[in-house]
Amino acid sequence: MIDAAEVITSGTSILFVTLDSLRYDVARAALHAGQTPRLAKILPGGVWEERRTPGTFTLPAHIAFFSGFLPKLPQPVQPPRLWECRPPAFKAIDTGTFVFDAPSLLTGLAQHGYRTVCIGGVTYFSRETPLGSVLPDMFHEDHWRPEFCSPEPDSTRHQVDHALTVAEQYADRPLFLFVNVSATHVPHGHYTGDSNDSWHSQAAALAYTDEHLGRLVEGLTGKKRWLIIMCADHGDAFGEDGYHGRGIAHPTVLNVPFAAMLAP
């Protein structure tokens, strides 16, 4: 059990990675097939947790995450939350939950001396549209370039290179470093040499990200302790029951991989 209240009051930096659109069944299968060896070494027990997302596409899922609502276990009884906005007086909160007295986790962390930085991926982080500014506006600073987005086959390498540069820049203070990995978001057919996106091409995209995510975690945790959270914001349907895409209440969209750990 992670005591997030202690972690944050002690000034431990936080890495929060969302693997955009990654289905739980794809993440699990890629892990079992040996396609993600670096992640296998990072994940607690070497496995992903199966969880349910609070949002079925990028915008609402991340708004929920940054408001304190991470994906939940598929069971009636839930473990204590890592963090939560200050609740009404009648609600009891676990002592290990970090309670922030602010409208968002990012503002709450800033009140505790954290620098909040976003390394964007999909276009909801690009500022190319009015909605594309909603999530970036929540951070002290945000970074997005076309080469960070999913049409670029080497997007994760570019994102991780930039994330490590940012981490070095703020090495002397608590940092909330958020990375939205775009490679697992459509289009990803190019990872299998196909013009169509599929379950298999998403698995290939995840296999591509493995080396760079391993490099990111290794580069950060080699110097100090970090709280690391990795999950998908939602999944994607590839024709199951006739459904395609996201923004729908289908198991392929709702079921996401999740992991949380302290390292080293």
Side-chain angles (χ1 to χ4, degrees):
M1 187 72 66
I2 295 173
D3 187 330
E6 185 278 329
V7 165
I8 291 168
T9 55
S10 69
T12 298
S13 289
I14 302 168
L15 170 66
F16 186 11
V17 175
T18 55
L19 290 138
D20 209 289
S21 307
L22 179 61
R23 293 165 47 144
Y24 170 72
D25 59 348
V26 171
R28 180 186 61 186
L31 192 72
H32 290 173
Q35 293 177 279
T36 53
R38 299 289 293 273
L39 285 170
K41 293 179 180 178
I42 295 167
L43 301 175
V47 297
W48 289 105
E49 284 187 14
E50 180 181 5
R51 294 215 175 187
R52 303 286 188 267
T53 182
T56 59
F57 65 101
T58 301
L59 182 62
H62 284 84
I63 290 290
F65 295 165
F66 299 150
S67 301
F69 302 98
L70 293 173
K72 291 189 174 184
L73 288 167
Q75 62 189 39
V77 179
Q78 299 293 320
R81 289 166 59 181
L82 286 178
W83 37 61
E84 182 171 351
C85 179
R86 179 178 58 79
F90 62 81
K91 185 177 180 181
I93 300 295
D94 186 85
T95 57
T97 296
F98 169 62
V99 178
F100 52 94
D101 195 3
S104 79
L105 171 66
L106 303 173
T107 303
L109 289 172
Q111 293 171 349
H112 283 259
Y114 281 76
R115 182 72 176 178
T116 62
V117 181
C118 169
I119 309 297
V122 302
T123 52
Y124 274 108
F125 297 93
S126 69
R127 295 189 179 274
E128 292 184 326
T129 67
L131 280 179
S133 297
V134 171
L135 296 171
D137 278 345
M138 300 176 76
F139 292 81
H140 284 128
E141 62 183 84
D142 61 281
H143 304 264
W144 186 90
R145 299 171 182 169
E147 59 264 34
F148 293 174
C149 202
S150 52
E152 164 57 50
D154 212 10
S155 59
T156 310
R157 178 176 67 84
H158 293 298
Q159 289 184 286
V160 167
D161 286 347
H162 199 74
L164 289 171
T165 299
V166 167
E168 186 65 30
Q169 180 182 354
Y170 295 112
D172 60 345
R173 65 177 298 178
L175 177 65
F176 180 84
L177 179 60
F178 170 74
V179 183
N180 171 247
V181 173
S182 69
T184 47
H185 185 284
V186 295
H188 40 63
H190 45 262
Y191 293 107
T192 55
D194 195 336
S195 59
N196 296 315
D197 301 309
S198 66
W199 190 99
H200 296 286
S201 63
Q202 187 175 73
L206 179 60
Y208 154 72
T209 70
D210 183 69
E211 175 188 352
H212 299 295
L213 291 176
R215 182 166 59 90
L216 175 61
V217 171
E218 184 178 296
L220 296 178
T221 60
K223 299 179 180 179
K224 62 181 182 180
R225 186 174 75 149
W226 283 72
L227 169 60
I228 300 171
I229 298 165
M230 292 187 179
C231 67
D233 51 347
H234 58 83
D236 234 339
F238 298 118
E240 294 84 358
D241 300 315
Y243 289 98
H244 292 269
R246 62 217 66 86
I248 50 177
H250 189 273
T252 57
V253 176
L254 296 173
N255 298 343
V256 297
F258 178 89
M261 68 220 83
L262 282 166

